Amino acid sequence: MTVTIYTQSSCSSSRKAIKWLKEHNIPFTEKRITSQPLTLSEFKNILRMTEDGTDEIIATNSNDFKNLDVDIDQLSIQELYELIKEHPRMLRSPILIDEKRIQVGYNEMDIRRFIPRKVRVYELNELRKHADEIVS
Amino acid sequence: MNNIQLLSEPVASTKTTKPIELYIFIDPLCPNAFKLQSMLKKLQLEYEHYFTWRYVLSTELQTLNCVTRRIKGCLTGTDVDITHPALPSLAIKAAELQGKKAANRYIRKLQEHALLGTKNVHSYSALVEIAKEATLDQEEFIKDFGSKEAVRAFQCDLYITREMEVDEVPSIVFFNECIEDEGLKVSGMYSYEIYVQILQEMLDEEIVSKPLPTFEELFQRFQYLTTDEVASIYSISMSDAERELKKRMLQQKIERVSNDAVTLWRLKSSSFSL
């Protein structure tokens, strides 16, 4: 599965993240939301990966957001989506997402989580395993 | 810790990234899932400053092939309701489209009804009612229930299950920050100490637990708990836990709900907050 990166124009963090993905040969699709509005389906897929819906993805310090003067918590999902479609810069940038996780903003440590990794079986001491089974 | 933020970025949250990721594979209505979730509650209380987690629904494929039943139901007797064993999983995915916390509230409500037998949690109409009880955006939930987004989210979980070669539920896969390391898969259920030990092994530093919350804080956070869970969280005996719980019940802080199979303690409805 590939990474999707939602970027904004003239955003240095977006450029850095893309450069990083290329350097690490991680397949990705870029979508520049300042020229191509986010679809409702994409928006929901982003929300799905967040902890608390909006806190992580809204750039509360941005002028776009401040000028709007709205209480996010009072909005329905539909209303919030309409707002974001109109004012994409109220979102933080970039937003990276794959089937497992979301990362907002560029951070050279955290972005490494998108490097595919293998999984191995944790070898528990068999004796202890039996002991636990007896206890539980 | 790894909070190297760039100056140009409009940063609101300065949340430090947690070093461990947990993928928790459950079949949400399977009794084993409840056991694992009890363990997870304590792990969150003591060590959540080290990890993020998400549920991956590993619904048995055979349940997906079951026949959808149409039943007449509801108060009017005219509405058609449907039931299917995979409906709860799809409902959870629809809830998840409103964020992970919303999904967790939904799962807790769903399981509460399943445990107490107060709703047929395989029926469409009950699953919609639960969305309301879990304070979701209900209108959006109805649109998302069975939408291609919810189905795709469900498929994502099946994909992750396959990718991490998880063939048993419950299972947990741990990843640390060191990308050269493989993820660790722990299949089945073990005692609490084992999971703490694994966290420790994956961290570079000495693991430090947070102090346990008070009873009141505990119920604010998890809404309902079994006597067993309370006993295990505070490492006290069942009878001590029961005594403490009854004390709070007399103080009208919590209430006891039970049927033949299970006893749950939850905040008094009036003080129920999410």
Side-chain angles (χ1 to χ4, degrees), chain A residues 62-95:
Chain A
S62 66
N63 288 331
D64 275 64
F65 180 73
K66 283 181 183 160
N67 292 339
L68 282 170
D69 195 29
V70 288
D71 182 357
I72 291 278
D73 297 330
Q74 299 302 314
L75 298 180
S76 70
I77 288 175
Q78 196 66 41
E79 288 166 334
L80 181 64
Y81 168 67
E82 295 299 331
L83 209 59
I84 288 172
K85 202 166 74 174
E86 283 300 303
H87 308 276
R89 286 191 188 275
M90 67 184 272
L91 284 184
R92 294 177 65 196
S93 172
I95 295 175

Short mmCIF file of all heavy atoms in Angstrom, two decimals, chain A residues 62-95:
data_model
loop_
_atom_site.label_atom_id
_atom_site.label_comp_id
_atom_site.label_asym_id
_atom_site.label_seq_id
_atom_site.Cartn_x
_atom_site.Cartn_y
_atom_site.Cartn_z
N SER A 62 -3.01 29.24 12.30
CA SER A 62 -3.00 29.84 10.96
C SER A 62 -3.99 31.00 10.88
O SER A 62 -5.02 31.03 11.56
CB SER A 62 -3.37 28.77 9.93
OG SER A 62 -4.71 28.36 10.12
N ASN A 63 -3.66 31.95 10.01
CA ASN A 63 -4.55 33.10 9.84
C ASN A 63 -5.91 32.67 9.31
O ASN A 63 -6.94 33.19 9.71
CB ASN A 63 -3.92 34.12 8.89
CG ASN A 63 -2.77 34.83 9.57
OD1 ASN A 63 -2.77 34.97 10.80
ND2 ASN A 63 -1.77 35.24 8.79
N ASP A 64 -5.87 31.69 8.39
CA ASP A 64 -7.12 31.20 7.83
C ASP A 64 -8.08 30.74 8.91
O ASP A 64 -9.28 31.00 8.86
CB ASP A 64 -6.85 30.01 6.89
CG ASP A 64 -6.50 30.47 5.50
OD1 ASP A 64 -5.46 31.13 5.37
OD2 ASP A 64 -7.28 30.17 4.58
N PHE A 65 -7.52 30.04 9.87
CA PHE A 65 -8.36 29.51 10.93
C PHE A 65 -8.83 30.62 11.86
O PHE A 65 -10.00 30.71 12.22
CB PHE A 65 -7.63 28.43 11.70
CG PHE A 65 -8.46 27.84 12.80
CD1 PHE A 65 -9.51 26.98 12.49
CD2 PHE A 65 -8.21 28.15 14.12
CE1 PHE A 65 -10.30 26.45 13.49
CE2 PHE A 65 -9.01 27.61 15.13
CZ PHE A 65 -10.04 26.75 14.82
N LYS A 66 -7.90 31.49 12.23
CA LYS A 66 -8.25 32.57 13.16
C LYS A 66 -9.31 33.48 12.58
O LYS A 66 -10.25 33.89 13.27
CB LYS A 66 -7.00 33.39 13.51
CG LYS A 66 -6.10 32.67 14.51
CD LYS A 66 -4.90 33.53 14.84
CE LYS A 66 -3.95 32.81 15.78
NZ LYS A 66 -2.61 33.39 15.72
N ASN A 67 -9.17 33.78 11.27
CA ASN A 67 -10.13 34.68 10.64
C ASN A 67 -11.55 34.10 10.62
O ASN A 67 -12.54 34.82 10.59
CB ASN A 67 -9.70 35.00 9.20
CG ASN A 67 -8.43 35.83 9.19
OD1 ASN A 67 -8.11 36.48 10.20
ND2 ASN A 67 -7.72 35.82 8.08
N LEU A 68 -11.63 32.79 10.60
CA LEU A 68 -12.94 32.14 10.53
C LEU A 68 -13.71 32.31 11.83
O LEU A 68 -14.93 32.41 11.83
CB LEU A 68 -12.77 30.65 10.25
CG LEU A 68 -12.46 30.30 8.81
CD1 LEU A 68 -12.08 28.84 8.71
CD2 LEU A 68 -13.65 30.59 7.92
N ASP A 69 -12.96 32.30 12.94
CA ASP A 69 -13.58 32.52 14.23
C ASP A 69 -14.74 31.54 14.49
O ASP A 69 -15.86 31.96 14.75
CB ASP A 69 -14.07 33.98 14.33
CG ASP A 69 -14.39 34.35 15.76
OD1 ASP A 69 -13.77 33.76 16.66
OD2 ASP A 69 -15.27 35.20 15.98
N VAL A 70 -14.44 30.26 14.37
CA VAL A 70 -15.49 29.26 14.64
C VAL A 70 -15.06 28.33 15.78
O VAL A 70 -13.88 28.18 16.05
CB VAL A 70 -15.76 28.35 13.41
CG1 VAL A 70 -16.48 29.12 12.34
CG2 VAL A 70 -14.47 27.72 12.88
N ASP A 71 -16.05 27.76 16.41
CA ASP A 71 -15.77 26.75 17.42
C ASP A 71 -15.90 25.38 16.75
O ASP A 71 -17.00 24.90 16.49
CB ASP A 71 -16.76 26.90 18.57
CG ASP A 71 -16.46 25.89 19.68
OD1 ASP A 71 -15.54 25.08 19.51
OD2 ASP A 71 -17.16 25.92 20.71
N ILE A 72 -14.74 24.80 16.50
CA ILE A 72 -14.69 23.53 15.76
C ILE A 72 -15.58 22.47 16.40
O ILE A 72 -16.26 21.71 15.73
CB ILE A 72 -13.23 23.01 15.74
CG1 ILE A 72 -12.37 23.91 14.86
CG2 ILE A 72 -13.15 21.57 15.29
CD1 ILE A 72 -12.48 23.61 13.40
N ASP A 73 -15.57 22.44 17.74
CA ASP A 73 -16.29 21.38 18.42
C ASP A 73 -17.80 21.44 18.20
O ASP A 73 -18.51 20.47 18.43
CB ASP A 73 -15.99 21.43 19.93
CG ASP A 73 -14.51 21.18 20.18
OD1 ASP A 73 -13.90 20.45 19.38
OD2 ASP A 73 -13.97 21.72 21.16
N GLN A 74 -18.27 22.61 17.79
CA GLN A 74 -19.70 22.77 17.57
C GLN A 74 -20.15 22.34 16.17
O GLN A 74 -21.33 22.28 15.87
CB GLN A 74 -20.13 24.23 17.81
CG GLN A 74 -19.86 24.74 19.22
CD GLN A 74 -20.55 23.89 20.27
OE1 GLN A 74 -21.71 23.54 20.13
NE2 GLN A 74 -19.82 23.51 21.31
N LEU A 75 -19.16 22.10 15.30
CA LEU A 75 -19.51 21.81 13.91
C LEU A 75 -19.79 20.33 13.70
O LEU A 75 -19.19 19.47 14.33
CB LEU A 75 -18.35 22.20 12.99
CG LEU A 75 -17.94 23.68 12.95
CD1 LEU A 75 -16.78 23.87 11.99
CD2 LEU A 75 -19.12 24.55 12.54
N SER A 76 -20.71 20.05 12.79
CA SER A 76 -20.89 18.66 12.38
C SER A 76 -19.75 18.32 11.43
O SER A 76 -19.06 19.22 10.94
CB SER A 76 -22.23 18.47 11.69
OG SER A 76 -22.20 19.11 10.42
N ILE A 77 -19.57 17.05 11.15
CA ILE A 77 -18.49 16.64 10.26
C ILE A 77 -18.67 17.26 8.88
O ILE A 77 -17.73 17.73 8.25
CB ILE A 77 -18.42 15.11 10.20
CG1 ILE A 77 -17.87 14.61 11.54
CG2 ILE A 77 -17.57 14.62 9.04
CD1 ILE A 77 -17.84 13.13 11.69
N GLN A 78 -19.92 17.29 8.44
CA GLN A 78 -20.24 17.85 7.13
C GLN A 78 -19.86 19.33 7.07
O GLN A 78 -19.24 19.80 6.12
CB GLN A 78 -21.74 17.67 6.87
CG GLN A 78 -22.15 17.84 5.43
CD GLN A 78 -21.58 16.73 4.53
OE1 GLN A 78 -21.56 15.58 4.93
NE2 GLN A 78 -21.11 17.08 3.36
N GLU A 79 -20.22 20.07 8.12
CA GLU A 79 -19.91 21.51 8.16
C GLU A 79 -18.39 21.74 8.18
O GLU A 79 -17.88 22.62 7.51
CB GLU A 79 -20.54 22.16 9.40
CG GLU A 79 -22.04 22.30 9.30
CD GLU A 79 -22.71 22.61 10.65
OE1 GLU A 79 -22.14 22.26 11.71
OE2 GLU A 79 -23.79 23.19 10.62
N LEU A 80 -17.73 20.92 8.96
CA LEU A 80 -16.28 21.05 9.05
C LEU A 80 -15.64 20.78 7.68
O LEU A 80 -14.73 21.49 7.25
CB LEU A 80 -15.74 20.06 10.10
CG LEU A 80 -14.22 20.10 10.30
CD1 LEU A 80 -13.78 21.44 10.85
CD2 LEU A 80 -13.78 18.98 11.25
N TYR A 81 -16.15 19.76 7.02
CA TYR A 81 -15.61 19.43 5.70
C TYR A 81 -15.79 20.60 4.72
O TYR A 81 -14.86 20.97 4.01
CB TYR A 81 -16.26 18.16 5.14
CG TYR A 81 -15.95 17.96 3.69
CD1 TYR A 81 -14.64 17.69 3.29
CD2 TYR A 81 -16.94 18.08 2.72
CE1 TYR A 81 -14.32 17.55 1.95
CE2 TYR A 81 -16.64 17.94 1.38
CZ TYR A 81 -15.32 17.67 0.99
OH TYR A 81 -15.01 17.54 -0.33
N GLU A 82 -16.98 21.19 4.72
CA GLU A 82 -17.26 22.31 3.82
C GLU A 82 -16.27 23.45 4.08
O GLU A 82 -15.77 24.09 3.16
CB GLU A 82 -18.70 22.82 4.00
CG GLU A 82 -19.78 21.82 3.60
CD GLU A 82 -19.72 21.41 2.13
OE1 GLU A 82 -19.26 22.24 1.32
OE2 GLU A 82 -20.13 20.27 1.82
N LEU A 83 -16.02 23.67 5.36
CA LEU A 83 -15.11 24.74 5.76
C LEU A 83 -13.68 24.47 5.26
O LEU A 83 -13.02 25.35 4.71
CB LEU A 83 -15.13 24.82 7.29
CG LEU A 83 -14.86 26.15 7.95
CD1 LEU A 83 -15.86 27.18 7.48
CD2 LEU A 83 -14.96 25.99 9.47
N ILE A 84 -13.26 23.24 5.42
CA ILE A 84 -11.90 22.87 5.01
C ILE A 84 -11.76 22.93 3.49
O ILE A 84 -10.73 23.35 2.96
CB ILE A 84 -11.53 21.47 5.55
CG1 ILE A 84 -11.31 21.56 7.07
CG2 ILE A 84 -10.29 20.91 4.88
CD1 ILE A 84 -11.14 20.25 7.75
N LYS A 85 -12.81 22.54 2.81
CA LYS A 85 -12.78 22.58 1.35
C LYS A 85 -12.58 24.03 0.87
O LYS A 85 -11.82 24.29 -0.04
CB LYS A 85 -14.11 22.02 0.80
CG LYS A 85 -13.99 21.52 -0.62
CD LYS A 85 -15.19 20.67 -1.02
CE LYS A 85 -16.40 21.53 -1.25
NZ LYS A 85 -17.56 20.77 -1.78
N GLU A 86 -13.24 24.95 1.56
CA GLU A 86 -13.12 26.37 1.23
C GLU A 86 -11.78 26.96 1.67
O GLU A 86 -11.23 27.82 1.00
CB GLU A 86 -14.24 27.16 1.94
CG GLU A 86 -15.61 27.06 1.30
CD GLU A 86 -15.59 27.56 -0.13
OE1 GLU A 86 -15.19 28.72 -0.34
OE2 GLU A 86 -15.95 26.77 -1.04
N HIS A 87 -11.32 26.51 2.82
CA HIS A 87 -10.11 27.08 3.41
C HIS A 87 -9.09 26.00 3.70
O HIS A 87 -8.83 25.67 4.87
CB HIS A 87 -10.44 27.81 4.71
CG HIS A 87 -11.55 28.81 4.59
ND1 HIS A 87 -11.36 30.09 4.14
CD2 HIS A 87 -12.87 28.69 4.82
CE1 HIS A 87 -12.52 30.73 4.12
NE2 HIS A 87 -13.45 29.89 4.53
N PRO A 88 -8.49 25.42 2.66
CA PRO A 88 -7.57 24.30 2.89
C PRO A 88 -6.41 24.65 3.81
O PRO A 88 -5.85 23.77 4.47
CB PRO A 88 -7.08 23.94 1.49
CG PRO A 88 -7.42 25.09 0.62
CD PRO A 88 -8.60 25.76 1.24
N ARG A 89 -6.06 25.92 3.88
CA ARG A 89 -4.90 26.30 4.70
C ARG A 89 -5.19 26.28 6.19
O ARG A 89 -4.30 26.52 7.00
CB ARG A 89 -4.36 27.66 4.27
CG ARG A 89 -3.61 27.56 2.95
CD ARG A 89 -2.84 28.81 2.63
NE ARG A 89 -2.31 28.71 1.28
CZ ARG A 89 -1.16 28.11 0.99
NH1 ARG A 89 -0.41 27.60 1.93
NH2 ARG A 89 -0.75 28.05 -0.26
N MET A 90 -6.43 25.99 6.56
CA MET A 90 -6.68 25.81 7.99
C MET A 90 -6.22 24.41 8.44
O MET A 90 -6.21 24.12 9.64
CB MET A 90 -8.15 26.05 8.34
CG MET A 90 -9.12 25.05 7.77
SD MET A 90 -10.82 25.50 8.15
CE MET A 90 -11.04 24.69 9.74
N LEU A 91 -5.82 23.59 7.48
CA LEU A 91 -5.24 22.29 7.84
C LEU A 91 -3.74 22.44 8.00
O LEU A 91 -3.10 23.24 7.33
CB LEU A 91 -5.51 21.26 6.75
CG LEU A 91 -6.90 20.65 6.64
CD1 LEU A 91 -6.91 19.59 5.57
CD2 LEU A 91 -7.34 20.05 7.98
N ARG A 92 -3.18 21.62 8.87
CA ARG A 92 -1.74 21.60 8.99
C ARG A 92 -1.17 20.87 7.77
O ARG A 92 -1.87 20.14 7.08
CB ARG A 92 -1.32 20.91 10.29
CG ARG A 92 -1.75 21.72 11.52
CD ARG A 92 -1.41 21.01 12.79
NE ARG A 92 0.03 20.89 12.96
CZ ARG A 92 0.60 20.06 13.82
NH1 ARG A 92 -0.12 19.26 14.56
NH2 ARG A 92 1.92 20.02 13.92
N SER A 93 0.10 21.10 7.52
CA SER A 93 0.67 20.56 6.30
C SER A 93 2.12 20.15 6.51
O SER A 93 2.84 20.83 7.23
CB SER A 93 0.59 21.64 5.23
OG SER A 93 1.28 21.26 4.07
N PRO A 94 2.57 19.07 5.91
CA PRO A 94 1.77 18.10 5.14
C PRO A 94 1.05 17.12 6.07
O PRO A 94 1.36 17.05 7.24
CB PRO A 94 2.85 17.36 4.35
CG PRO A 94 4.05 17.36 5.26
CD PRO A 94 3.99 18.66 6.00
N ILE A 95 0.12 16.37 5.50
CA ILE A 95 -0.49 15.26 6.22
C ILE A 95 -0.13 13.99 5.48
O ILE A 95 -0.42 13.87 4.29
CB ILE A 95 -2.02 15.43 6.32
CG1 ILE A 95 -2.37 16.65 7.17
CG2 ILE A 95 -2.66 14.17 6.91
CD1 ILE A 95 -3.85 16.99 7.22
#
